Amino acid sequence: MKKALVTGSSSGIGAAFAAHLARQGSDLVLVARRQDRLETLAERLRGETGVSVEVLKADLADPTDLHRIEERIEQGDDIDLLVNNAGIGDIAHFVDQERDTHERMIAVNVLALTRLSHAAIPGMVERGGGTIINVASGFAFDYMPGASVYAATKSYVAQLTHVLDAELREKGMRFQALVPGLTRTELGGDAEFFDMFPPEHVMSPEVLVEVSLASLELGERVCIPRLADIGEWERAHAAIRAVGKSPPHNQVAPRYGLDQQSAG
């Protein structure tokens, strides 16, 4: 890969992506809010691997910062991998969270990911193709109380990734929805949260990234690292799609007790 842009790259999964890609010889554009951490990581990766590392401090919930990163993507002709990793994952019951918290989660997890993908895709297609990895979550497929807005944003990420793949795979684009399980990060600002789980239940970001990139080479559009049989996911996804499709008639299901002749 020529150059990768990784959001949320100052720690956790984003930093692990940056380190792994640098070892593979990819130049990097690192985006995150914490300038000091970005500079420290960039200096280390330059010294260890010799790759070029560009640092862009940005809060993707801030429209001005977001537009600046979009412009960097659009004005360059060098990004062939975009890792949309930045995310906010505060967990609390819906009414116990401030509306501003909800808005910030949606801004980063949904709006920023969408706009950066939209900025990247045209240039990638023009250059013959590219890759976008979107970090989703197992909450995208669950209904855990306390994860309402976070889970909804990650459902959006998963669905968008599926549809973009269907639209653009024939134009040389590759997409992956990465679905981490318990992975040691600083999501929500509480690095100690994962200490309550047995160590063997928590994956390291480094292993997660290795699996993600291996999954990409296998052509998997969804990467669920702990799932032994990817066919299990494919069958479940196919069943959900089948239920969602309208049958070829306008008959209302009998359980609603309506006069079928009035269904039209």
Side-chain angles (χ1 to χ4, degrees), residues 40-51 53:
T40 298
L41 176 61
E43 183 177 357
R44 177 170 68 82
L45 295 180
R46 291 184 192 113
E48 291 177 354
T49 68
V51 301
V53 184

Side-chain angles (χ1 to χ4, degrees), residues 24-235:
Q24 290 185 332
S26 292
D27 292 331
L28 299 169
V29 181
L30 303 183
V31 178
R33 292 179 295 113
R34 294 174 290 194
Q35 179 87 29
D36 55 341
R37 289 200 182 188
L38 282 178
E39 294 289 0
T40 298
L41 176 61
E43 183 177 357
R44 177 170 68 82
L45 295 180
R46 291 184 192 113
E48 291 177 354
T49 68
V51 301
S52 167
V53 184
E54 179 182 350
V55 168
L56 297 175
K57 179 182 182 296
D59 180 351
L60 295 180
D62 182 326
T64 300
D65 281 4
L66 175 58
H67 295 165
R68 182 164 48 84
I69 304 306
E70 292 174 37
E71 290 173 2
R72 166 62 184 86
I73 293 171
E74 290 179 317
Q75 291 173 1
D77 60 356
D78 52 354
I79 304 297
D80 66 345
L81 169 62
L82 171 62
V83 181
N84 282 311
N85 165 71
I88 297 175
D90 289 348
I91 301 297
H93 281 219
F94 181 77
V95 297
D96 294 334
Q97 283 184 328
E98 298 291 333
R99 286 189 289 274
D100 287 349
T101 301
H102 293 161
E103 182 176 350
R104 186 172 173 80
M105 263 195 282
I106 294 167
V108 175
N109 298 3
V110 172
L111 183 60
L113 178 144
T114 303
R115 292 187 65 97
L116 295 183
S117 298
H118 192 274
I121 288 169
M124 289 179 173
V125 170
E126 185 177 339
R127 295 189 295 274
T131 301
I132 295 180
I133 297 174
N134 292 325
V135 179
S137 168
F139 284 122
F141 315 115
D142 200 357
Y143 307 107
M144 190 188 88
S148 55
V149 175
Y150 177 67
T153 65
K154 293 303 184 177
S155 293
Y156 174 93
V157 170
Q159 183 71 1
L160 179 70
T161 307
H162 291 311
V163 177
L164 290 179
D165 176 75
E167 289 182 353
L168 292 159
R169 79 178 70 140
E170 293 184 0
K171 296 185 178 181
M173 293 295 301
R174 296 189 301 175
F175 293 91
Q176 180 191 89
L178 175 57
V179 184
L182 278 172
T183 305
R184 187 171 293 279
T185 68
E186 296 178 12
L187 192 66
D190 184 6
E192 286 70 43
F193 167 79
F194 297 95
D195 292 339
M196 71 176 68
F197 299 99
E200 62 272 18
H201 290 186
V202 182
M203 185 173 287
S204 74
E206 291 75 18
V207 170
L208 177 71
V209 168
E210 289 186 33
V211 174
S212 170
L213 296 175
S215 170
L216 198 64
E217 294 307 311
L218 290 173
E220 295 179 354
R221 299 175 184 92
V222 175
C223 175
I224 307 175
R226 301 167 204 250
L227 186 63
D229 177 12
I230 192 63
E232 185 178 344
W233 157 258
E234 293 169 347
R235 290 187 293 273

Side-chain angles (χ1 to χ4, degrees), residues 2-15:
K2 183 168 54 175
K3 184 171 285 189
L5 188 148
V6 184
T7 68
S9 50
S10 61
S11 66
I13 295 170

